[in-house]
Amino acid sequence: MKALKGIRIVEFAGLGPLEHTGMMLSDLGADVIRIVRPGTSYQTSPILRNRTTHSLDLKAPEDLRTARNFITQSDVVLEGMRPGTMERLGLGPNEFAEVAPKLVYARMTGWGQAGPMSQRAGHDINYLALTGALWSTRRTGDRPVPPLNLVGDIGGGSMFLIVGILAALINRDRTGYGSVIDASIVDGVSSLLQSVHSLRADQEWSDEPGDNLFDTGRPWYDVYRCADEKFIAVGAIEPQFYHELVAGLELDISSLPHRSDPQNWPALKKLFTEVFATRSRDDWAQRFEQSDACVTAVLSIAEAPAGHHLRSRNTLFPVPGGWSASPAPRFTPLVPE
């Protein structure tokens, strides 16, 4: 089911979140035209799939006219250049307000279209640093470790850009007018952090590393090393799941320190650490396979495609040299019985 069939998009090639946005929209059925600079290799990476690529020199009058024609005949523009760049090329959103009033002009940046840092260079790690997200990856005595580019480029970047585009298309159908979307990674990551800001406002979150629910501050929400030096992930937050965790570890819950008292957490974590170290990762994963203890093996990127759950759903499919993610989310028609 191609939910965006009939929607035409012009993507001015950019890295990170823009590539991911183009992939997602093309997976949803949109016709995506990707414009690259002359001399750019036409990559065959899976993230660039399902797009038609055109090489244009936007400083050459003829190529600039071609780009303008692509835009005026499209529903959406994707661009991720520094603020003001498209305007200097004569391709800014105001250039199309009269000739293409239904155009959705989607702009992706790290810092946003305005603000004291809007003209500065930056990458995922920099945006995370200023939102508090990077600080929250610390552990006692250690430095922050970036969570790949999942939280910034993808989570706070492309996914918010996609939400904006889809909302703007719906609004266009209602009002007859397009929109200019200012999607910035610092705004998106800050929105993703709202639950943490709310917990902090309720005095249920501190800035101390590894002291909170979602940052391994609880013994039942942590990663443990196994006998084979691999790891197991535990997320037994609810009491009923915690009971299953304890049972799977072959411990007597009545003899354990009560988990409601934070003073008992170091002892519980020490005990869990010792028990998980007695078996291999796969032994533990098999033991908890049919359990609601929320215990899973920590797989590497190389191991993930062979995992039975992802394999059964065809979440990943083979491509030359590796694997590619299948389109997500999935759709089925809602058909009355």
Side-chain angles (χ1 to χ4, degrees), residues 42-64:
Y42 285 25
Q43 303 176 43
T44 56
S45 168
I47 201 170
L48 301 177
R49 65 195 181 208
N50 300 328
R51 270 105 104 190
T52 302
T53 301
H54 293 267
S55 177
L56 297 179
D57 180 358
L58 298 180
K59 295 181 180 179
E62 185 174 344
D63 283 2
L64 189 61

Side-chain angles (χ1 to χ4, degrees), residues 27-48:
D27 284 349
L28 290 171
D31 176 17
V32 180
I33 298 170
R34 187 168 183 263
I35 296 176
V36 302
R37 295 177 180 177
T40 303
S41 61
Y42 285 25
Q43 303 176 43
T44 56
S45 168
I47 201 170
L48 301 177

Side-chain angles (χ1 to χ4, degrees), residues 1 332-336:
M1 179 175 171
T332 54
L334 183 61
V335 180

Side-chain angles (χ1 to χ4, degrees), residues 47-299:
I47 201 170
L48 301 177
R49 65 195 181 208
N50 300 328
R51 270 105 104 190
T52 302
T53 301
H54 293 267
S55 177
L56 297 179
D57 180 358
L58 298 180
K59 295 181 180 179
E62 185 174 344
D63 283 2
L64 189 61
R65 282 194 295 271
T66 299
R68 287 184 60 86
N69 288 336
F70 280 141
I71 292 173
T72 55
Q73 296 170 21
S74 296
D75 299 284
V76 180
V77 169
L78 297 178
E79 69 96 358
M81 301 184 190
R82 287 199 200 189
T85 302
M86 293 294 278
E87 281 79 1
R88 288 191 291 273
L89 290 168
L91 297 175
N94 290 341
E95 300 285 337
F96 301 94
E98 291 188 8
V99 295
K102 293 185 177 183
L103 183 66
V104 173
Y105 200 104
R107 321 192 81 165
M108 180 79 260
T109 61
W111 304 117
Q113 295 297 311
M117 299 183 71
S118 62
Q119 291 298 324
R120 286 181 55 180
H123 281 295
D124 182 282
I125 193 170
N126 309 115
Y127 313 134
L128 296 185
L130 289 195
T131 60
L134 186 59
W135 171 267
S136 300
T137 68
R138 290 181 64 232
R139 294 298 173 268
T140 302
D142 204 354
R143 61 191 176 90
V145 177
L148 305 184
N149 69 334
L150 300 179
V151 175
D153 281 351
I154 308 305
S158 70
M159 300 311 292
F160 276 82
L161 185 62
I162 292 166
V163 168
I165 290 168
L166 298 180
L169 288 173
I170 294 172
N171 183 66
R172 184 187 71 172
D173 289 344
R174 186 170 58 242
T175 66
Y177 292 99
S179 305
V180 180
I181 300 169
D182 174 5
S184 79
I185 294 174
V186 292
D187 291 351
V189 172
S190 295
S191 179
L192 293 175
L193 284 169
Q194 184 54 60
S195 61
V196 174
H197 284 298
S198 297
L199 288 169
R200 200 169 186 276
D202 293 335
Q203 286 77 52
E204 294 182 9
W205 189 277
S206 77
D207 281 339
E208 291 301 313
D211 190 47
N212 305 287
L213 172 58
F214 300 123
D215 67 356
T216 73
R218 308 291 187 270
W220 52 87
Y221 200 93
D222 206 343
V223 178
Y224 291 93
R225 189 184 300 272
C226 302
D228 55 358
E229 296 299 308
K230 296 180 180 180
F231 298 92
I232 202 86
V234 176
I237 297 175
E238 291 82 358
Q240 66 271 27
F241 301 157
Y242 179 75
H243 278 252
E244 293 212 27
L245 167 66
V246 171
L249 294 175
E250 297 182 342
L251 297 172
D252 179 4
I253 197 166
S254 64
S255 67
L256 298 183
H258 203 282
R259 79 171 197 160
S260 62
D261 185 352
Q263 298 297 320
N264 294 331
W265 294 348
L268 282 172
K269 184 165 290 194
K270 181 175 182 295
L271 176 60
F272 293 168
T273 299
E274 292 171 349
V275 175
F276 276 116
T278 63
R279 294 174 178 266
S280 72
R281 179 199 67 183
D282 293 344
D283 284 345
W284 285 118
Q286 185 175 14
R287 170 174 289 237
F288 285 101
E289 178 73 26
Q290 302 302 321
S291 166
D292 270 347
C294 304
V295 175
T296 51
V298 177
L299 303 181

Side-chain angles (χ1 to χ4, degrees), residues 299-311 316 323:
L299 303 181
S300 68
I301 295 292
E303 291 177 302
H308 70 283
H309 185 73
L310 268 60
R311 191 174 67 248
L316 298 162
W323 295 83

